[in-house]
Amino acid sequence: MPEDPIAQSELAALTRRFEEVAGKHDREFGIIKSDLTAVRLQIGNLDQKVEALDKKIDRNQAQIIELLTQLVGRRPDAG
């Protein structure tokens, strides 16, 4: 049975379109993967900043408690 040139042409066109879409999806996936990597790095940086802030807050609270403890028992007019 001879090959149908119209069918072969349609098949070739469909194949080209499939390959173009597949290539586009690959590029978009690469972009999304890159964006996710950037987001992960930013989250890591934020985690570090939050930890540093927590430590600073803990130090400040400790200093406040120490100062308040020193003031307990003092007379207000003692200065």
Side-chain angles (χ1 to χ4, degrees):
M1 175 171 181
E3 291 185 18
D4 183 358
I6 295 174
Q8 290 298 319
S9 175
E10 288 294 320
L11 182 60
L14 287 172
T15 301
R16 277 193 307 277
R17 278 191 250 160
F18 175 81
E19 289 171 351
E20 288 171 4
V21 169
K24 182 179 177 185
H25 286 170
D26 287 346
R27 286 188 300 278
E28 290 174 352
F29 179 75
I31 291 168
I32 291 169
K33 187 176 176 183
S34 174
D35 289 349
L36 285 174
T37 300
V39 168
R40 283 186 185 128
L41 290 173
Q42 290 175 350
I43 289 172
N45 289 338
L46 286 174
D47 282 344
Q48 290 175 352
K49 289 179 180 181
V50 167
E51 284 180 27
L53 186 58
D54 281 343
K55 289 178 183 177
K56 186 173 183 178
I57 289 170
D58 289 344
R59 281 194 308 271
N60 288 343
Q61 286 177 340
Q63 288 176 335
I64 290 169
I65 290 170
E66 183 180 331
L67 291 171
L68 289 173
T69 301
Q70 291 173 8
L71 288 174
V72 171
R74 281 195 182 178
R75 290 179 23 168
D77 58 353

